[in-house]
Amino acid sequence: MAAERERFSTATRLRALGEQAAARVYRAQNRRLRHGPRRSRLTGRAALLALVLCSLVVALAYPTRTYVSQRSDIAEERRKLSETEERVAELRELKARLQDPAYVERLAREHLHYVRAGETGYIVQGNADDEADRRERQEADRETADRAWYRTFFDGLDRADRP
């Protein structure tokens, strides 16, 4: 083959290449004419399929959002239910303790300062809580001293109306 190539002149080789190129162009034109003009890849069916898929996505977006929202609402209600059940358990425990007369007596002694017949009750004045209340009153008195008398008067009326 190498010897054959050497035998032909450059002009002969160029002519052969030109003929090959012309044959390729001729074949391509025949193919185009036989198959008609080249159509785009997006056919009518593909466009319809894309339209159907888009409409499905749009149609399912709202129900999906509603579903997710309802699931979060359900989770919130379950959390509230568990908190309520815990509170009910605490109240049942308190109810059971209040059935015990010794516990009720202890509460009456602590909170209401009850004493039994023959006992002497003592109340110690000036504990830490009373000291804090006294300081609060002093600060409130200092604040009201700087205000007009009628504002202090109406604030006192408002406080008297509160339960």
Side-chain angles (χ1 to χ4, degrees), residues 17-31:
L17 285 173
E19 289 173 358
Q20 290 173 356
R24 271 184 283 179
V25 168
Y26 179 72
R27 281 193 304 266
Q29 284 177 346
N30 280 341
R31 248 183 289 160

Side-chain angles (χ1 to χ4, degrees), residues 10 18 29 31 42 44 47 65 79 99 110-111 120 124 142:
T10 306
Q29 284 177 346
R31 248 183 289 160
L42 183 63
R65 187 181 66 116
R79 185 191 60 79
Q99 299 298 322
E110 287 176 6
H111 297 288
T120 305
V124 178
R142 277 189 231 121

Side-chain angles (χ1 to χ4, degrees), residues 81-98:
L81 176 66
S82 67
E83 288 177 359
T84 305
E85 287 173 347
E86 289 174 8
R87 179 70 178 140
V88 166
E90 290 172 5
L91 291 174
R92 284 189 177 146
E93 183 181 322
L94 178 62
K95 180 183 174 186
R97 278 189 277 152
L98 289 173

Side-chain angles (χ1 to χ4, degrees), residues 140-156 159:
D141 289 343
R142 277 189 231 121
E143 289 175 11
T144 57
D146 296 335
R147 294 171 43 185
W149 68 269
Y150 53 86
R151 287 189 185 262
T152 307
F153 175 74
F154 288 120
D155 287 345
R159 267 183 273 140

Side-chain angles (χ1 to χ4, degrees), residues 4-72:
E4 202 174 288
R5 242 191 241 159
E6 291 174 7
R7 268 191 316 176
F8 294 113
S9 69
T10 306
T12 307
R13 278 188 270 173
L14 285 175
R15 193 176 319 124
L17 285 173
E19 289 173 358
Q20 290 173 356
R24 271 184 283 179
V25 168
Y26 179 72
R27 281 193 304 266
Q29 284 177 346
N30 280 341
R31 248 183 289 160
R32 231 181 278 140
L33 290 175
R34 244 182 300 152
H35 299 296
R38 192 169 200 186
R39 296 188 333 187
S40 78
R41 292 180 181 239
L42 183 63
T43 63
R45 288 182 183 170
L48 182 64
L49 179 64
L51 181 66
V52 168
L53 287 176
C54 288
S55 62
L56 281 176
V57 167
V58 169
L60 293 177
Y62 181 75
T64 303
R65 187 181 66 116
T66 304
Y67 173 77
V68 170
S69 172
Q70 287 175 351
R71 295 303 298 173
S72 66

Side-chain angles (χ1 to χ4, degrees), residues 68-146:
V68 170
S69 172
Q70 287 175 351
R71 295 303 298 173
S72 66
D73 291 346
I74 289 170
E76 177 67 20
E77 292 300 322
R78 285 184 178 155
R79 185 191 60 79
K80 286 181 184 177
L81 176 66
S82 67
E83 288 177 359
T84 305
E85 287 173 347
E86 289 174 8
R87 179 70 178 140
V88 166
E90 290 172 5
L91 291 174
R92 284 189 177 146
E93 183 181 322
L94 178 62
K95 180 183 174 186
R97 278 189 277 152
L98 289 173
Q99 299 298 322
D100 182 18
Y103 180 72
V104 173
E105 181 181 340
R106 190 184 90 197
L107 287 178
R109 286 175 169 265
E110 287 176 6
H111 297 288
L112 303 175
H113 306 291
Y114 279 20
V115 292
R116 288 188 177 160
E119 291 180 349
T120 305
Y122 296 98
I123 298 176
V124 178
Q125 297 286 334
N127 62 12
D129 291 336
D130 291 338
E131 188 68 28
D133 290 340
R134 188 178 58 77
R135 285 186 191 140
E136 278 184 26
R137 280 192 302 255
Q138 285 176 348
E139 289 176 19
D141 289 343
R142 277 189 231 121
E143 289 175 11
T144 57
D146 296 335

